[in-house]
Amino acid sequence: MKLSLVISYYKNLENLELIFKGLEVQSEKDFEVIVAEDDCSQKTIDYLKKRMENTFFSIQHIAQDRDDGFRKNEMLNRAIKISKSEALVFIDGDCIPHRHFVKEYLKAITKGKILFGKRVNLGPTISGEILDEKSIQKINIVNILRSDSDKKKEGIYFPFMSLKIKDTGLLGCNWGILKEYLVAINGYDEDYTAPGVGEDVDIEWRLKATGLKMVSMKNKGIVYHIYHPKGYTDATVQANYLVLEEKQKIGNIQCVNGLNKLQPIQRQ
């Protein structure tokens, strides 16, 4: 098994089906999929059982025992624990991968790197068409450039050289790393119980504090984000930033409430 692809998922089977259609046409075939569901839906279980019967990649499914608030980081940690590969890539349950997504991450994942990608923000119109047709056929650069989408240039596939761009930060919906580095910092911090910051900004600063370098996957590791209204408030994000600031003051690289509930190690 070369790579474990973790999908953070919550209550949107239509989106998940489109993601699987993107995975079925991947140019790299040696990977597993872990659906980390922050819920406990029987519909999801039934859907994945059918998928397991006719996909070339293996599928693992983990879920909560009940739907009880935002526990995404807990599910991500559980996914890390059961992953069968030493290379991990994370996407969200509303992001469809480009057909060379897995291949490009496998080429780039090496020692000392945090790989971070961006996303094409599909507009309401093209997202609606894709969902209505239950097809990813419309997802190509020509249609995207003509559509109501945002961040269109992120959809240009250009694998031939590394594009120098400003380090704009890790997005939890598209990034990858070797598993050993997540284990070293005790994984995701489960103290964050609301969306934003905890699943990307927090883990980014702790990984950087260990000396790892950020490497862009722009125009290589491409995902297409299906439009939906924002599911969180600015106030929630700001509250998470306050939590982050306190944690950075303490300087714990290893979070306390994480992968194995380790004792914290402070930055020197």
Side-chain angles (χ1 to χ4, degrees), residues 163-175:
L163 301 176
K164 292 184 178 180
I165 67 167
K166 182 180 178 182
D167 178 357
T168 53
L170 184 154
L171 294 178
C173 67
N174 183 2
W175 78 286

Side-chain angles (χ1 to χ4, degrees), residues 145-195:
L145 291 174
R146 293 173 176 173
S147 74
D148 57 340
S149 301
D150 188 24
K151 307 292 185 184
K152 297 177 182 181
K153 291 181 180 179
E154 307 289 357
I156 300 172
Y157 178 59
F158 192 79
F160 309 106
M161 61 181 291
S162 296
L163 301 176
K164 292 184 178 180
I165 67 167
K166 182 180 178 182
D167 178 357
T168 53
L170 184 154
L171 294 178
C173 67
N174 183 2
W175 78 286
I177 196 166
L178 291 177
K179 182 175 180 177
E180 64 186 89
Y181 296 129
L182 291 173
V183 173
I185 64 166
N186 201 24
Y188 288 85
D189 192 334
E190 297 175 23
D191 284 349
Y192 294 93
T193 55

Side-chain angles (χ1 to χ4, degrees), residues 8 13 39 83 99 116 118 155-156 186 189 202 253 264:
S8 299
L13 209 48
D39 189 16
S83 60
R99 67 180 301 268
F116 69 103
K118 298 302 175 185
I156 300 172
N186 201 24
D189 192 334
D202 175 84
I253 296 173

Side-chain angles (χ1 to χ4, degrees), residues 7 19 42-43 76-77 86 91 101 124 156 193 219 228 252 260:
I7 304 172
I19 291 171
Q42 185 61 45
K43 287 184 178 180
L76 291 172
N77 280 338
E86 292 308 307
I91 65 172
F101 182 81
I156 300 172
T193 55
N219 300 117
H228 59 82
N252 291 336
N260 294 308

Side-chain angles (χ1 to χ4, degrees), residues 119-161:
R119 66 187 190 185
V120 180
N121 292 323
L122 297 177
T125 301
I126 191 171
S127 293
E129 292 170 353
I130 291 165
L131 288 165
D132 288 343
E133 296 172 12
K134 298 182 179 180
S135 170
I136 61 172
Q137 293 302 311
K138 276 192 166 67
I139 301 180
N140 59 66
I141 191 60
V142 174
N143 285 337
I144 288 169
L145 291 174
R146 293 173 176 173
S147 74
D148 57 340
S149 301
D150 188 24
K151 307 292 185 184
K152 297 177 182 181
K153 291 181 180 179
E154 307 289 357
I156 300 172
Y157 178 59
F158 192 79
F160 309 106
M161 61 181 291

Side-chain angles (χ1 to χ4, degrees), residues 7-264:
I7 304 172
S8 299
Y9 172 72
Y10 181 72
K11 288 187 175 180
N12 199 317
L13 209 48
E14 287 182 315
N15 286 355
L16 188 62
E17 186 170 8
L18 291 171
I19 291 171
F20 270 85
K21 287 182 177 181
L23 293 174
E24 287 171 345
V25 297
Q26 289 296 302
S27 56
E28 167 60 54
K29 307 298 184 184
D30 192 2
F31 64 95
E32 71 164 341
V33 171
I34 304 173
V35 178
E37 182 180 14
D38 195 12
D39 189 16
C40 51
S41 168
Q42 185 61 45
K43 287 184 178 180
T44 305
I45 293 171
D46 294 341
Y47 171 78
L48 291 175
K49 279 183 179 178
K50 290 181 180 179
R51 277 288 180 186
M52 289 174 188
E53 294 173 358
N54 55 21
T55 56
F56 64 84
F57 50 86
S58 65
I59 302 170
Q60 296 195 72
H61 175 222
I62 52 176
Q64 300 283 12
D65 56 356
R66 66 191 185 284
D67 184 5
D68 186 21
F70 182 87
R71 293 184 286 169
K72 178 180 179 180
N73 284 8
E74 176 192 331
M75 296 311 300
L76 291 172
N77 280 338
R78 287 171 60 183
I80 294 167
K81 286 184 177 181
I82 67 166
S83 60
K84 297 175 181 177
S85 168
E86 292 308 307
L88 295 171
V89 174
F90 300 87
I91 65 172
D92 280 348
D94 52 13
C95 291
I96 302 168
H98 184 278
R99 67 180 301 268
H100 296 309
F101 182 81
V102 172
K103 180 181 79 172
E104 292 301 330
Y105 264 101
L106 268 175
K107 282 166 55 178
I109 286 185
T110 55
K111 293 275 190 178
K113 294 181 180 179
I114 309 165
L115 303 180
F116 69 103
K118 298 302 175 185
R119 66 187 190 185
V120 180
N121 292 323
L122 297 177
T125 301
I126 191 171
S127 293
E129 292 170 353
I130 291 165
L131 288 165
D132 288 343
E133 296 172 12
K134 298 182 179 180
S135 170
I136 61 172
Q137 293 302 311
K138 276 192 166 67
I139 301 180
N140 59 66
I141 191 60
V142 174
N143 285 337
I144 288 169
L145 291 174
R146 293 173 176 173
S147 74
D148 57 340
S149 301
D150 188 24
K151 307 292 185 184
K152 297 177 182 181
K153 291 181 180 179
E154 307 289 357
I156 300 172
Y157 178 59
F158 192 79
F160 309 106
M161 61 181 291
S162 296
L163 301 176
K164 292 184 178 180
I165 67 167
K166 182 180 178 182
D167 178 357
T168 53
L170 184 154
L171 294 178
C173 67
N174 183 2
W175 78 286
I177 196 166
L178 291 177
K179 182 175 180 177
E180 64 186 89
Y181 296 129
L182 291 173
V183 173
I185 64 166
N186 201 24
Y188 288 85
D189 192 334
E190 297 175 23
D191 284 349
Y192 294 93
T193 55
V197 179
E199 68 267 36
D200 40 39
V201 183
D202 175 84
I203 204 159
E204 177 185 337
W205 83 262
R206 290 189 288 120
L207 287 168
K208 281 183 174 179
T210 67
L212 300 182
K213 303 300 181 184
M214 298 280 284
V215 176
S216 172
M217 292 294 290
K218 183 177 180 180
N219 300 117
K220 295 180 181 179
I222 300 169
V223 297
Y224 308 94
H225 177 258
I226 303 166
Y227 173 82
H228 59 82
K230 190 166 68 171
Y232 54 88
T233 66
D234 292 339
T236 298
V237 174
Q238 288 305 313
N240 277 353
Y241 269 113
L242 292 176
V243 174
L244 173 68
E245 288 173 8
E246 289 302 311
K247 290 179 178 293
Q248 288 177 325
K249 286 178 184 177
I250 297 170
N252 291 336
I253 296 173
Q254 286 184 334
C255 61
V256 177
N257 187 19
L259 200 58
N260 294 308
K261 306 296 187 294
L262 299 176
Q263 292 298 312

